[in-house]
Amino acid sequence: MSNLFDLLVAGLATGAIYALVAVGFTLLWQTSQTINFAQGEFVMLPAFLMLAAMHAGAPFWLAIILGILLSMILLGLGFKMLLVDPMMRHGVLPLAIATMALAIGIKEAVKQFFSAEASPFPSIVPTGDIYILGHAVSLQSIGVLVVAIVAVFGLTTLLNRTSLGHQMQAAAQNPTVARIIGVPVERMILLTFLINAFLVALASLLITPIYLAKFSSGEVLGQAAFVAAIVGGFNQVRGAIAGGLLIGVLDNLAAAYVSTQYRAAVPMIFLIVVILFRPQGLLGRAEERTV
Amino acid sequence: MSSFAKPLKIALGLIVIAGLIVIPMNFNRYGLFILSQWAVMTIAAMGLNLTLGYAGQVSLAQGAFVGIGAYASAIMTSHGWPLPAAIVVAVVLAFAVGWVLGYPALRVQHHYLAFVTLAFSTLAFLVFRNESWLTGGIYGISNIPRPHFFGIATNKPLPFYYVCLGSLAIVSVAVWWLIRSPWGRAFMALRENPLRAQSLGIDTRRYTLMAFAIGSALGGVAGALYAPLTQYIDPVPFNLSLSLDLLMMVIVGGAGFYFGPFLGAMIAVLLPEWLRFTEGYYLMLYAIAVMGLLIWSPTGILGILDRYMAARRTKAASALRAVAKSRLETAQ
């Protein structure tokens, strides 16, 4: 039985990955009203792109770079141009269904062209433990947490401190006004798709060494990211971060203190409660109702 | 519509029904299984089409209701109850749970509702898997008996196919009647504009709950037939992906069109069989086909037909107008 401290560290580490995935999810929603049901598969795929590069003989660092680049081309540019752009005018629901089909497509493609078996994946962080306050904490957890925090910090700095970030926020909040004051809205939307692709590739790099590379691993992750994004606040980047960490910790605590069988139920019940009593999310702002 | 269209439609309908009765007589065991599966999934999709297509409430939980119906039917028939009694219980149970699931829909809409129902779907799956005393847990329930009707055993695939087809027929008539009743009109008013519906005096609260409950009840019917069809159930077929599949069936066929679920279920159940020659690639091709279709026509296959008919009617109308205009001018 692990104690509370270990549970919290492990929870924060998985939560940080959920946060990365959830942030991308909220960015897509804010800029283009895209609910990406394939977000979990978006995290699964880059690991396989990196594995494929390694099988072709590339060293690990090169495979990482190639994987991230390919992910930005396929899951950023390709996703936007081939699926989201043609479907945008049709409204939220058909696009959401199309991303469900995309999830099936990605899963099957990996299963068919790569492997139906789980493959090991090298870790960017050395394995081993360090001791903090007398507790053994795995370096992997620390590494994941640090990389995720740096990425999220970088993103929030970009959004809040730079003119590019302000333009992105303007494009997300009010495209019409943004266009009038000269913000290249289309380019900003493309940028959010590229950022999402980068974040999922990063999450893939961090999480795959822990859970192995498997074609079906996106399902659970995607669901966790949805929950995180909604619990925190669908329309807030910081909400998604808080939601990610919260769900990660909650999930680990539930496994230890509720029951391993019903651990998946705890975040779901939490989700239902939050949606019913605070639909805008814990940190979100309410969206106006349109009649 | 021109005057001969209606008899033509009726004739076409009768031919299809006769075909569904006669042609499968020569099918092998597997073909009959697939066709029975189509009938069962069509019932579930019709339920979701009521909730989503007619009442406009997004639900990602229809698969869970199929599961509830399947477990109710499996548990009862294994204990010696007749299937019709099990179907009644499955319907009542799914209706009640669906009614409760409708409450969140009174508070939240669209994507939020989608996520509430998605969470419900996960919870139902966990209950199926973990409550072994009732559901057999991961080992599931096997040797689910098929019913006897008037002394006729339906153990063989062909008689049971007729059970499924007959149930589909009954449900189809009931839904046809429902969507033409004031209820159906109220559902559609709810879909088009909830606030306007309310201002017209429609009790939106009651109809929202009803849309969920009736749609879910049909999911229960489908599940109650699914259990004796496969004769073995475990939690896996009723996970979230069944809900997503059913949603895709409704949208691909054409949400809000009466025949949408028939087509959508046909594509989802039969297309993989036709694409079997492509071996492992069929789901990939299916996914690409769905995306392509939605880009081309977000209202599904029947949406294409609908637009074509509308265009023809406009054309015919403007042709008539042109003729009338020229006649008027010559008369002057």
Side-chain angles (χ1 to χ4, degrees):
Chain A
M1 185 81 189
S2 6
N3 65 39
L4 191 61
F5 182 82
D6 298 335
L7 288 173
L8 281 178
V9 174
L12 285 176
T14 33
I17 296 169
Y18 293 165
L20 283 184
V21 184
V23 164
F25 187 72
T26 54
L27 281 178
L28 293 192
W29 167 254
Q30 280 178 274
T31 51
S32 62
Q33 312 279 296
T34 304
I35 299 181
N36 183 15
F37 272 98
Q39 187 79 346
E41 279 67 30
F42 274 33
V43 179
M44 176 271 290
L45 187 65
F48 280 96
L49 296 175
M50 292 172 198
L51 277 178
M54 278 189 278
H55 279 258
F60 188 41
W61 61 269
L62 185 62
I64 293 175
I65 296 173
L66 282 175
I68 291 178
L69 282 179
L70 270 175
S71 155
M72 288 171 82
I73 293 169
L74 289 174
L75 305 177
L77 194 66
F79 175 52
K80 179 177 187 296
M81 289 178 63
L82 297 177
L83 201 63
V84 177
D85 283 352
M87 295 228 50
M88 208 114 114
R89 64 200 162 88
H90 299 328
V92 178
L93 188 64
L95 178 55
I97 309 276
T99 63
M100 284 173 199
L102 180 64
I104 296 178
I106 294 177
K107 238 184 321 204
E108 290 300 314
V110 167
K111 192 167 144 193
Q112 200 59 31
F113 296 124
F114 206 89
S115 164
E117 303 296 316
S119 326
F121 190 85
S123 168
I124 49 165
V125 189
T127 47
D129 292 335
I130 55 166
Y131 286 86
I132 300 174
L133 304 169
H135 293 276
V137 179
S138 84
L139 276 174
Q140 212 154 27
S141 295
I142 304 278
V144 164
L145 203 53
V146 169
V147 174
I149 288 173
V150 168
V152 165
F153 182 74
L155 180 68
T156 43
T157 312
L158 172 78
L159 286 177
N160 296 327
R161 295 287 152 82
T162 66
S163 118
L164 187 66
H166 291 150
Q167 292 187 46
M168 284 175 69
Q169 292 204 7
Q173 277 158 16
N174 196 331
T176 322
V177 172
R179 213 167 267 129
I180 292 168
I181 60 172
V183 174
V185 172
E186 266 309 301
R187 209 180 304 160
M188 292 304 130
I189 293 176
L190 177 62
L191 195 60
T192 58
F193 276 79
L194 292 177
I195 290 175
N196 179 50
F198 177 77
L199 292 178
V200 290
L202 198 62
S204 191
L205 189 61
L206 294 174
I207 204 166
T208 320
I210 306 172
Y211 295 112
L212 300 177
K214 189 152 201 276
F215 74 96
S216 59
S217 64
E219 290 163 17
V220 178
L221 200 62
Q223 222 169 324
F226 293 148
V227 175
I230 294 161
V231 163
F234 219 132
N235 44 27
Q236 289 280 316
V237 167
R238 64 197 166 93
I241 298 164
L245 294 174
L246 197 60
I247 293 301
V249 170
L250 199 63
D251 191 37
N252 268 273
L253 292 181
Y257 296 113
V258 181
S259 80
T260 46
Q261 288 173 330
Y262 279 106
R263 72 180 290 184
V266 174
M268 289 301 164
I269 292 169
F270 189 55
L271 169 77
I272 293 178
V273 171
V274 168
I275 289 183
L276 289 186
F277 294 100
R278 214 180 139 71
Q280 71 272 38
L282 295 175
L283 295 178
R285 49 182 149 55
E287 286 173 60
E288 306 94 75
R289 241 209 170 101
T290 44
V291 176
Chain B
M1 281 269 115
S2 35
S3 56
F4 64 90
K6 201 170 181 186
L8 199 72
K9 268 187 186 169
I10 292 172
L12 191 71
L14 287 176
I15 290 170
V16 170
I17 292 168
L20 281 172
I21 293 172
V22 176
I23 295 170
M25 285 176 178
N26 306 312
F27 276 22
N28 63 11
R29 201 181 180 79
Y30 189 69
L32 285 166
F33 176 78
I34 294 295
L35 219 52
S36 309
Q37 212 187 354
W38 165 75
V40 170
M41 284 303 144
T42 303
I43 294 175
M46 279 177 107
L48 185 57
N49 194 29
L50 275 180
T51 315
L52 175 83
Y54 286 97
Q57 309 289 329
V58 186
S59 168
L60 287 177
Q62 188 71 350
F65 289 104
V66 177
I68 289 173
Y71 274 103
S73 142
I75 293 165
M76 286 183 69
T77 54
S78 325
H79 284 83
W81 289 74
L83 185 66
I87 291 180
V88 170
V89 170
V91 166
V92 171
L93 200 62
F95 186 91
V97 180
W99 182 277
V100 174
L101 192 68
Y103 279 96
L106 299 174
R107 280 188 58 83
V108 292
Q109 286 287 317
H110 306 303
H111 48 281
Y112 291 118
L113 187 57
F115 289 116
V116 172
T117 52
L118 181 147
F120 172 77
S121 204
T122 308
L123 294 178
F125 175 77
L126 288 172
V127 171
F128 297 149
R129 197 188 62 190
N130 293 330
E131 299 306 314
S132 325
W133 59 275
L134 186 68
T135 65
I138 52 168
Y139 302 108
I141 300 171
S142 45
N143 298 323
I144 299 165
R146 284 182 179 174
H148 288 254
F149 285 112
F150 313 110
I152 303 166
T154 60
N155 282 330
K156 293 232 163 59
L158 189 65
F160 196 75
Y161 164 67
Y162 288 131
V163 173
C164 296
L165 192 67
S167 311
L168 175 61
I170 295 169
V171 169
S172 305
V173 171
V175 171
W176 179 265
W177 169 80
L178 182 75
I179 56 178
R180 262 148 198 79
S181 72
W183 287 65
R185 307 265 169 221
F187 283 167
M188 281 182 259
L190 208 62
R191 174 189 68 189
E192 294 308 330
N193 192 331
L195 282 180
R196 197 168 59 200
Q198 197 161 22
S199 68
L200 287 173
I202 292 169
D203 184 352
T204 48
R205 205 182 144 75
R206 197 169 124 225
Y207 282 104
T208 303
L209 295 177
M210 269 297 169
F212 261 91
I214 297 175
S216 308
L218 291 184
V221 174
L225 292 166
Y226 180 90
L229 172 65
T230 54
Q231 301 191 285
Y232 166 76
I233 55 166
D234 69 349
V236 177
F238 310 114
N239 65 12
L240 182 63
S241 41
L242 178 60
S243 295
L244 299 181
D245 282 346
L246 285 165
L247 189 64
M248 254 195 271
M249 287 179 207
V250 171
I251 302 276
V252 165
F257 292 102
Y258 177 78
F259 285 107
F262 292 84
L263 262 180
M266 193 167 86
I267 289 165
V269 176
L270 297 184
L271 192 66
E273 299 305 319
W274 293 333
L275 292 174
R276 196 159 276 274
F277 70 93
T278 62
E279 292 176 353
Y281 296 97
Y282 73 87
L283 267 176
M284 235 185 297
L285 292 173
Y286 173 61
I288 292 168
V290 169
M291 284 188 277
L293 172 74
L294 287 175
I295 290 172
W296 189 35
S297 169
T299 44
I301 294 175
L302 289 177
I304 300 175
L305 209 67
D306 195 50
R307 263 182 302 173
Y308 171 73
M309 301 286 267
R312 260 186 51 165
R313 257 182 308 223
T314 344
K315 222 169 141 188
S318 40
L320 277 176
R321 205 161 33 229
V323 170
K325 199 179 165 204
S326 63
R327 276 198 194 146
L328 268 174
E329 277 163 1
T330 46
Q332 275 168 358

